[in-house]
Amino acid sequence: MSETFQAPKGTFDLLPPDSELWLHVREVMAAPLRAAGYGYIETPVFEETALFERGVGESTDVVTKEMYSFTTRGDDRVTLRPEGTAGVVRSVVQHRLYAGQLPVKLWYSGSFFRYERPQAGRYRHFSQVGAEALGVDDPALDAELVALGVRAFSDLGLSRVELLLNSLGDRTCRPVYRERLQEFLRGLELDADTRRRIEINPLRVLDDKRPEVQKQVADAPVVGDSLCDDCRAHYDAVGRHLTDLGVAWTEAPRLVRGLDYYTRTTFEFVHDGLGAQSAVGGGGRYDGLSEDVGGPPMPGVGWALGVDRTVLAMRAEEVALPPASRVDVFAVPLGAEARARLLVVVDELRRSGVRADLAFGDRGLKGAMKGADRSGARFALVLGDRDLETGQVQVKTLASGEQVSVPIADVVDVVKESLR
Ligand code: HAM
């Protein structure tokens, strides 16, 4: 036998019945967005590499270390999307969606790719549901979007998701903060790599998880103290709207995000049952991103929720999971003629809204009845050659074993009635 293949490192297959849970999570996350006027967008899973370099930021870990980038046969530099916002903004600019009704509200669901060190909750291929609202810088829009994320988690039955909120300032006040922070950081005892980072991306130093660094940055200036009046007013308004919406949040003055496009509102949804990879979602405002990627000035705010980590959170909280998909009726034909007849009956059942399956292949009565039990169906329809002569099918209630004979022509109606 030749060598078999495994799913690549940092990836996993979704198989039934677990895969139902991923479908369920995506559906529940999308529902509040669809009810709030967000339209569905699908963009390619790969984009020009330069889009992410300019959009996500050349000094971020995502761009420097984690992108799946390659040169195509046609010499184009492309990258599997590590996140969704840059592609959505590219698409809105390309199709001039900003020329219509504002805000442009869009949601998406799909696969994302980051070459990270795999661990629990951190994969190289993962799944997000995301939302972006573009063209308006109203703080009420930030609050609405955050509340829709909160709603998604609570609709999934999660009660231990905490909302962390911060403001990163804008292009007026952030440079002032950056300089203050750099001045502070240059006075610390840090290794050469981290010192270089101070000059390139000082905010990321605050995010360094090593205890010796954490201890030293404990007294670092926080961005909140340097906000300009407009950013402060925006932040306060977001907080007020969230309160009006009944959403609880925790102020997180040290929250920095791993992507460079954020301005003003930034937030993360964290869960206490996940260990190191505690963020089940995150997002914020990105008022300069459109211009960074060659578009017109166009403010925006958005989030992405991690589907895989949300499933882990649901398992950690032991929330009731949706029942696995199953059928109501399982048909067992004994012989070729009976199979031909039941194939049609099963099709009729499905058309009238009954979930139904059929025993395929030649498994004999015993094997086929085992299939019926495993299917989770309430009724088995058993049809043999003698039944065909009399035009009757046996309807067996699987839980009790009780069996009745029904004319084949009536079986769809009889089953439908019994399932009511
Ligand atoms: P992000 O914080 O990089 O933001 O990712 C959002 C969520 O995706 C995370 O909170 C996490 O749940 C999940 N996630 C990220 N990386 C991985 C991974 N390697 N394995 C498993 N799950 C992961 C963004 O992607 C932004 N585009 C969000 C946004 C939209 N900001 C504005 N609009």
Side-chain angles (χ1 to χ4, degrees), residues 132-416:
E132 315 289 349
L134 300 117
V136 169
D137 67 1
D138 185 346
L141 187 62
D142 307 27
E144 177 191 75
L145 190 58
V146 170
L148 294 171
V150 170
R151 185 56 200 291
F153 288 122
S154 78
D155 286 353
L156 283 165
L158 289 168
S159 58
R160 282 157 48 196
V161 176
E162 189 187 5
L163 168 61
L164 306 178
L165 190 65
N166 193 18
S167 173
L168 290 182
D170 63 8
R171 288 175 192 209
T172 313
C173 55
R174 180 108 61 97
V176 179
Y177 170 65
R178 193 183 140 105
E179 255 174 52
R180 278 183 63 199
L181 180 62
Q182 281 176 322
E183 221 164 279
F184 172 88
L185 294 173
R186 286 185 196 121
L188 304 181
E189 305 220 334
L190 298 164
D191 58 276
D193 256 4
T194 313
R195 301 195 75 82
R196 254 194 305 280
R197 186 173 262 188
I198 296 174
E199 306 311 319
I200 306 164
N201 199 344
L203 261 77
R204 295 298 296 165
V205 180
L206 295 181
D207 209 22
D208 196 315
K209 300 283 184 294
R210 291 172 297 177
E212 67 272 21
V213 179
Q214 276 304 311
K215 208 159 70 200
Q216 293 194 70
V217 301
D219 301 326
V222 293
V223 60
D225 297 336
S226 304
L227 293 184
C228 61
D229 292 346
D230 286 350
C231 286
R232 166 59 52 196
H234 188 96
Y235 183 66
D236 291 344
V238 172
R240 272 198 309 277
H241 290 310
L242 284 174
T243 304
D244 291 346
L245 289 165
V247 170
W249 80 94
T250 306
E251 230 169 29
R254 288 173 188 282
L255 175 71
V256 280
R257 306 259 306 125
L259 313 161
D260 267 358
Y261 46 64
Y262 291 111
T263 55
R264 296 192 168 174
T265 315
T266 44
F267 53 90
E268 226 150 39
F269 299 103
V270 294
H271 193 274
D272 63 12
L274 299 185
Q277 306 306 317
S278 61
V280 286
R285 188 159 268 294
Y286 45 84
D287 293 343
L289 175 55
S290 169
E291 287 154 286
D292 289 345
V293 299
M298 177 176 59
V301 62
W303 53 235
L305 312 185
V307 175
D308 315 277
R309 284 190 200 165
T310 299
V311 168
L312 294 178
M314 289 168 73
R315 289 188 171 143
E317 284 199 39
E318 295 180 12
V319 299
L321 305 178
S325 95
R326 48 176 202 86
V327 293
D328 303 307
V329 175
F330 195 89
V332 176
L334 305 170
E337 228 177 295
R339 162 159 309 114
R341 192 65 201 269
L342 281 185
L343 187 65
V344 174
V345 169
V346 161
D347 182 55
E348 282 169 10
L349 280 166
R350 290 179 191 146
R351 279 184 221 225
S352 62
V354 176
R355 300 173 298 176
D357 198 3
L358 179 76
F360 291 98
D362 274 321
R363 283 191 289 173
L365 179 61
K366 223 169 127 193
M369 287 312 291
K370 211 180 253 172
D373 283 331
R374 286 211 188 112
S375 74
R378 268 179 62 196
F379 300 110
L381 307 185
V382 184
L383 189 67
D385 285 345
R386 209 174 332 128
D387 299 316
L388 273 175
E389 277 164 28
T390 58
Q392 300 278 313
V393 58
Q394 310 305 316
V395 179
K396 182 171 179 176
T397 304
L398 285 162
S400 63
E402 182 192 339
Q403 191 164 309
V404 292
S405 191
V406 172
I408 301 178
D410 300 342
V411 73
V412 172
D413 289 338
V414 170
V415 165
K416 256 177 73 181

Side-chain angles (χ1 to χ4, degrees), residues 83 85 114 116 121 123 126 128 132 257 261-262 279-281 302 306:
E83 62 96 47
T85 311
R114 294 184 195 176
E116 298 201 75
Y123 313 107
F126 56 97
Q128 288 183 345
E132 315 289 349
R257 306 259 306 125
Y261 46 64
Y262 291 111
V280 286

